[in-house]
Amino acid sequence: MCGIVGYIGDKKAQPILLNSLGKLEYRGYDSCGIAIANNDIEVFKDLVRVKALTESLKPHDGKAGIGHTRWATHGEPSKINAHPHTDCKGKIAVVHNGTINNFLQLREMLAAEGHNIVSETDTEVIPHLIEKYYDGDFEKAVTRAVKDIDGAYTMIAMMAGEHKLIAARQESPLIIGVGDRENFLASDVPALLDYTSRVIYLEDGDIAVVTASDVKITHDGVPIEREEQKISWNIEDAQKGGYEHFMLKEIHEQPKVIRDTLTDFLSNSKPVVELAGVEGSTLENMIIIGCGTSYHAGLVGKYVIEELLDIPVRVEMADEFNYSGQASPGTQAIVITQSGETRDALKAIQRLKAKGCRVIAITNVIGSTVTRVADRVIYMRAGPEISVAASKTFTAELISLYWLALPYARVDTARLDKLVRDIRQLPVKVQQVLDNEDKIAAFAKKLAKFDNVFYIGKGVNYPVALEGALKIKEISYIHAEGYAAGELKHGPFSLLGEKTPVVAVVTRDATYEAIVTSIKEIKARRSPVFAFVGEDDDSTGDLADYVFKIPGVDPFLSPIVNSVALQLLAYFTAKERGCPIDFPRNLAKSVTVE
Ligand code: AGP
């Protein structure tokens, strides 16, 4: 994780670095720091967020610098562990995103050679390695240093007296922003949006030497051209737009996200086998892989694809799959990752390909690493999601999965037509949920008082319960567990009672009677029940303590409207508890470490 930035040009670097860093705090916010060069390098870092660092600094005139916002991996969050890190003489400064596997050996070697390493981080070996290899040629020293490093070492280095930034990309993202008499570096696009829409995505193994007027990229020592691209996201997309939190803004953007994602598919609609580049072959089974929210989207996909396509679908958490998962050659694999940078998901692709699977990636980020390693890419059109808790990208992932499945649906035309009609109606239905958010906010006031909560669902809404529980624990710090409704009686019932509420997602499908029975059993154990039920469901209301009616949609599509309601429940509960909603403790938006 972590966000890194760099600037070199004809303007003062300090405000640009701090502004850009602020846009990357979703990647980590344990501490932050910047280094600015004039003749010497000055480092300003602390155990604070970017806003506090900004307020504490005096203006600096330097026109080149680097910056970092940290998600701690090696060493606790502290001032000394904050980046940038420097060499013994303080002449070389480095910011780094990733983890160095062999840092202990490197540290021992450097210490034995007299280097004074002061932090607990893996990163600090990098400036010392550059110092070790420096014989008057900064570029040569960086190139030599990275050869010693095993792991993910995307970094930017600067050196006193050298009017250049040197960046190396390995297994974490790094983008060059191209300007007029100035150039930028950043881990992600939002950091660049205030300054330029021209970008160059670096590839693993690239080393870039960036000056105010030039960008030179080499790969394995050979000069290489990387195509300049234009970013389509605009500044407003990455701002709060009058909402109190990014998360609320992003929840409210969902009708538009559904429309945009659908529009894209409608204009490019291709059946899944064509997308996978396997025309003519039959789809016999499928494996879907993701992490966190994306894994939950995959679970919804399983219910939908198994029923519509009548093929078995396996869903695996990427990290588990990476150690023991099996897949037969030729299996169609879908890897879902909104950021396109999640380390576990990228590693799963390596394993899938080694086993001879074809991989379709579903992602939100054009140019992200996943787009380079998958066989085919499906882009959702959610726009930048800044809040650490995923909301609109979950919905866009579901729309992408529906759209993948529909062309292959082995159902009669009337059912297919209805599904397509209903999917087009989703923006309106989601808007109806949003228009009634005050009612959900009132439920949240009650829920916020509890310390533990169960979420239950059944069938296609079982993953919705998992996702609802993930959302509330992530941002409100209430301990929550998602369960398949029928499983609750096989153990967790011992925890039920007045102090343990249950949030139930009830849909009028084949599971309806069973989940109503579960709610009766739960009420008999005196747990308060918050029920999210279909608009035509007048009976569950008599059982539950609090009832929210969800606009009617095909049960297959109900995960979308139900999830929006649960996102609002999590949001308002976290707000009621005074939590830092967009940046929950210990988390980061894109998890680029194992
Ligand atoms: C969701 O709210 C989380 N922040 C997290 O579970 C996230 O979905 C997971 O880390 C996967 O991210 P990705 O989709 O970018 O791969």
Side-chain angles (χ1 to χ4, degrees), residues 562-589:
N562 288 334
S563 296
V564 173
L566 297 190
Q567 290 163 2
L568 288 168
L569 185 66
Y571 172 80
F572 286 114
T573 306
K575 194 172 166 207
E576 189 64 24
R577 290 165 67 96
C579 297
I581 294 178
D582 287 332
F583 301 103
R585 68 183 173 217
N586 302 336
L587 299 182
K589 181 80 182 159

Short mmCIF file of all heavy atoms in Angstrom, two decimals, residues 562-589:
data_model
loop_
_atom_site.label_atom_id
_atom_site.label_comp_id
_atom_site.label_asym_id
_atom_site.label_seq_id
_atom_site.Cartn_x
_atom_site.Cartn_y
_atom_site.Cartn_z
N ASN A 562 -30.65 -4.07 -2.35
CA ASN A 562 -30.46 -4.41 -0.94
C ASN A 562 -29.10 -3.89 -0.43
O ASN A 562 -29.00 -3.38 0.68
CB ASN A 562 -30.51 -5.93 -0.73
CG ASN A 562 -31.93 -6.47 -0.90
OD1 ASN A 562 -32.90 -5.73 -0.69
ND2 ASN A 562 -32.07 -7.73 -1.27
N SER A 563 -28.07 -4.04 -1.27
CA SER A 563 -26.74 -3.61 -0.83
C SER A 563 -26.66 -2.10 -0.64
O SER A 563 -26.00 -1.62 0.28
CB SER A 563 -25.67 -4.03 -1.85
OG SER A 563 -25.63 -5.42 -1.89
N VAL A 564 -27.35 -1.37 -1.52
CA VAL A 564 -27.34 0.10 -1.36
C VAL A 564 -27.96 0.46 0.00
O VAL A 564 -27.44 1.30 0.74
CB VAL A 564 -28.09 0.77 -2.53
CG1 VAL A 564 -28.24 2.27 -2.28
CG2 VAL A 564 -27.35 0.52 -3.84
N ALA A 565 -29.05 -0.22 0.35
CA ALA A 565 -29.69 0.04 1.66
C ALA A 565 -28.73 -0.28 2.80
O ALA A 565 -28.61 0.47 3.78
CB ALA A 565 -30.98 -0.77 1.77
N LEU A 566 -28.00 -1.40 2.68
CA LEU A 566 -27.06 -1.78 3.76
C LEU A 566 -25.84 -0.85 3.80
O LEU A 566 -25.28 -0.61 4.87
CB LEU A 566 -26.63 -3.24 3.60
CG LEU A 566 -27.75 -4.29 3.73
CD1 LEU A 566 -27.15 -5.69 3.79
CD2 LEU A 566 -28.64 -4.06 4.94
N GLN A 567 -25.44 -0.33 2.65
CA GLN A 567 -24.34 0.65 2.65
C GLN A 567 -24.77 1.89 3.44
O GLN A 567 -24.01 2.44 4.25
CB GLN A 567 -23.99 1.07 1.22
CG GLN A 567 -23.33 -0.01 0.38
CD GLN A 567 -23.38 0.30 -1.12
OE1 GLN A 567 -23.89 1.34 -1.55
NE2 GLN A 567 -22.87 -0.62 -1.93
N LEU A 568 -26.03 2.33 3.20
CA LEU A 568 -26.52 3.50 3.93
C LEU A 568 -26.61 3.21 5.43
O LEU A 568 -26.28 4.05 6.26
CB LEU A 568 -27.90 3.92 3.39
CG LEU A 568 -27.90 4.57 2.00
CD1 LEU A 568 -29.32 4.65 1.45
CD2 LEU A 568 -27.28 5.97 2.05
N LEU A 569 -27.03 1.98 5.76
CA LEU A 569 -27.13 1.61 7.19
C LEU A 569 -25.74 1.69 7.84
O LEU A 569 -25.58 2.23 8.94
CB LEU A 569 -27.71 0.21 7.32
CG LEU A 569 -27.97 -0.27 8.75
CD1 LEU A 569 -29.07 0.56 9.42
CD2 LEU A 569 -28.38 -1.76 8.77
N ALA A 570 -24.74 1.16 7.15
CA ALA A 570 -23.37 1.21 7.69
C ALA A 570 -22.90 2.65 7.80
O ALA A 570 -22.33 3.07 8.82
CB ALA A 570 -22.43 0.41 6.78
N TYR A 571 -23.16 3.42 6.74
CA TYR A 571 -22.70 4.82 6.74
C TYR A 571 -23.30 5.60 7.92
O TYR A 571 -22.57 6.25 8.68
CB TYR A 571 -23.07 5.50 5.41
CG TYR A 571 -22.79 6.98 5.43
CD1 TYR A 571 -21.49 7.45 5.23
CD2 TYR A 571 -23.79 7.90 5.75
CE1 TYR A 571 -21.21 8.81 5.32
CE2 TYR A 571 -23.51 9.25 5.84
CZ TYR A 571 -22.22 9.70 5.62
OH TYR A 571 -21.93 11.05 5.72
N PHE A 572 -24.63 5.53 8.06
CA PHE A 572 -25.27 6.34 9.11
C PHE A 572 -24.92 5.82 10.51
O PHE A 572 -24.85 6.60 11.45
CB PHE A 572 -26.78 6.43 8.88
CG PHE A 572 -27.14 7.34 7.73
CD1 PHE A 572 -27.72 6.83 6.58
CD2 PHE A 572 -26.85 8.69 7.79
CE1 PHE A 572 -28.03 7.67 5.52
CE2 PHE A 572 -27.15 9.54 6.73
CZ PHE A 572 -27.74 9.03 5.58
N THR A 573 -24.70 4.52 10.63
CA THR A 573 -24.30 3.97 11.94
C THR A 573 -22.91 4.49 12.31
O THR A 573 -22.67 4.93 13.44
CB THR A 573 -24.31 2.43 11.89
OG1 THR A 573 -25.59 1.99 11.44
CG2 THR A 573 -24.05 1.83 13.27
N ALA A 574 -22.01 4.48 11.34
CA ALA A 574 -20.65 4.97 11.59
C ALA A 574 -20.69 6.46 11.93
O ALA A 574 -19.97 6.94 12.81
CB ALA A 574 -19.77 4.73 10.36
N LYS A 575 -21.56 7.19 11.24
CA LYS A 575 -21.68 8.64 11.49
C LYS A 575 -22.18 8.87 12.92
O LYS A 575 -21.65 9.71 13.65
CB LYS A 575 -22.63 9.24 10.47
CG LYS A 575 -22.55 10.73 10.43
CD LYS A 575 -23.34 11.32 9.30
CE LYS A 575 -23.48 12.81 9.57
NZ LYS A 575 -24.65 13.38 8.98
N GLU A 576 -23.19 8.09 13.28
CA GLU A 576 -23.76 8.19 14.63
C GLU A 576 -22.68 7.93 15.70
O GLU A 576 -22.67 8.53 16.75
CB GLU A 576 -24.88 7.15 14.74
CG GLU A 576 -25.73 7.22 15.97
CD GLU A 576 -26.55 8.51 16.08
OE1 GLU A 576 -26.83 9.14 15.06
OE2 GLU A 576 -26.86 8.88 17.23
N ARG A 577 -21.76 7.02 15.39
CA ARG A 577 -20.71 6.68 16.35
C ARG A 577 -19.48 7.59 16.23
O ARG A 577 -18.46 7.36 16.89
CB ARG A 577 -20.29 5.20 16.16
CG ARG A 577 -21.39 4.25 16.62
CD ARG A 577 -21.16 2.84 16.11
NE ARG A 577 -20.00 2.19 16.68
CZ ARG A 577 -20.00 1.36 17.73
NH1 ARG A 577 -21.15 1.07 18.33
NH2 ARG A 577 -18.90 0.81 18.15
N GLY A 578 -19.55 8.56 15.35
CA GLY A 578 -18.46 9.53 15.22
C GLY A 578 -17.19 8.94 14.64
O GLY A 578 -16.09 9.39 14.99
N CYS A 579 -17.32 7.98 13.75
CA CYS A 579 -16.12 7.32 13.18
C CYS A 579 -15.58 8.10 11.97
O CYS A 579 -16.34 8.78 11.29
CB CYS A 579 -16.47 5.90 12.73
SG CYS A 579 -16.98 4.87 14.10
N PRO A 580 -14.28 7.94 11.68
CA PRO A 580 -13.71 8.61 10.49
C PRO A 580 -14.07 7.81 9.23
O PRO A 580 -13.29 6.99 8.76
CB PRO A 580 -12.20 8.55 10.76
CG PRO A 580 -12.02 7.37 11.64
CD PRO A 580 -13.27 7.15 12.42
N ILE A 581 -15.23 8.07 8.70
CA ILE A 581 -15.87 7.15 7.73
C ILE A 581 -15.01 6.85 6.50
O ILE A 581 -14.87 5.68 6.12
CB ILE A 581 -17.24 7.72 7.31
CG1 ILE A 581 -18.14 7.70 8.56
CG2 ILE A 581 -17.85 6.92 6.15
CD1 ILE A 581 -19.51 8.26 8.36
N ASP A 582 -14.44 7.87 5.89
CA ASP A 582 -13.72 7.61 4.64
C ASP A 582 -12.38 6.92 4.85
O ASP A 582 -11.86 6.27 3.95
CB ASP A 582 -13.48 8.93 3.89
CG ASP A 582 -14.76 9.46 3.27
OD1 ASP A 582 -15.64 8.64 2.95
OD2 ASP A 582 -14.88 10.68 3.12
N PHE A 583 -11.82 7.08 6.04
CA PHE A 583 -10.49 6.53 6.29
C PHE A 583 -10.48 5.73 7.59
O PHE A 583 -9.90 6.17 8.59
CB PHE A 583 -9.45 7.66 6.35
CG PHE A 583 -9.40 8.46 5.07
CD1 PHE A 583 -9.98 9.71 4.99
CD2 PHE A 583 -8.78 7.95 3.95
CE1 PHE A 583 -9.95 10.44 3.81
CE2 PHE A 583 -8.74 8.66 2.77
CZ PHE A 583 -9.33 9.91 2.70
N PRO A 584 -11.11 4.56 7.62
CA PRO A 584 -11.15 3.78 8.87
C PRO A 584 -9.75 3.37 9.33
O PRO A 584 -8.85 3.21 8.50
CB PRO A 584 -11.96 2.54 8.48
CG PRO A 584 -12.51 2.79 7.13
CD PRO A 584 -11.74 3.88 6.49
N ARG A 585 -9.63 3.22 10.64
CA ARG A 585 -8.29 2.91 11.18
C ARG A 585 -7.74 1.61 10.59
O ARG A 585 -8.49 0.67 10.30
CB ARG A 585 -8.38 2.80 12.72
CG ARG A 585 -9.18 1.61 13.19
CD ARG A 585 -9.31 1.55 14.71
NE ARG A 585 -10.22 0.48 15.07
CZ ARG A 585 -11.07 0.54 16.08
NH1 ARG A 585 -11.16 1.61 16.84
NH2 ARG A 585 -11.85 -0.49 16.33
N ASN A 586 -6.45 1.56 10.45
CA ASN A 586 -5.69 0.37 10.03
C ASN A 586 -5.92 -0.09 8.59
O ASN A 586 -5.38 -1.11 8.17
CB ASN A 586 -5.99 -0.84 10.93
CG ASN A 586 -5.69 -0.57 12.38
OD1 ASN A 586 -4.88 0.30 12.68
ND2 ASN A 586 -6.34 -1.28 13.28
N LEU A 587 -6.75 0.60 7.84
CA LEU A 587 -7.10 0.10 6.50
C LEU A 587 -6.47 0.97 5.41
O LEU A 587 -5.98 2.05 5.67
CB LEU A 587 -8.61 0.09 6.31
CG LEU A 587 -9.39 -0.80 7.27
CD1 LEU A 587 -10.87 -0.74 6.94
CD2 LEU A 587 -8.90 -2.24 7.19
N ALA A 588 -6.49 0.45 4.21
CA ALA A 588 -6.09 1.24 3.04
C ALA A 588 -6.93 0.77 1.87
O ALA A 588 -7.43 -0.36 1.87
CB ALA A 588 -4.62 1.03 2.73
N LYS A 589 -7.09 1.64 0.91
CA LYS A 589 -8.00 1.33 -0.20
C LYS A 589 -7.47 0.21 -1.08
O LYS A 589 -8.20 -0.70 -1.42
CB LYS A 589 -8.20 2.60 -1.03
CG LYS A 589 -9.13 2.44 -2.19
CD LYS A 589 -10.55 2.51 -1.74
CE LYS A 589 -11.55 2.30 -2.85
NZ LYS A 589 -12.85 1.89 -2.30
#
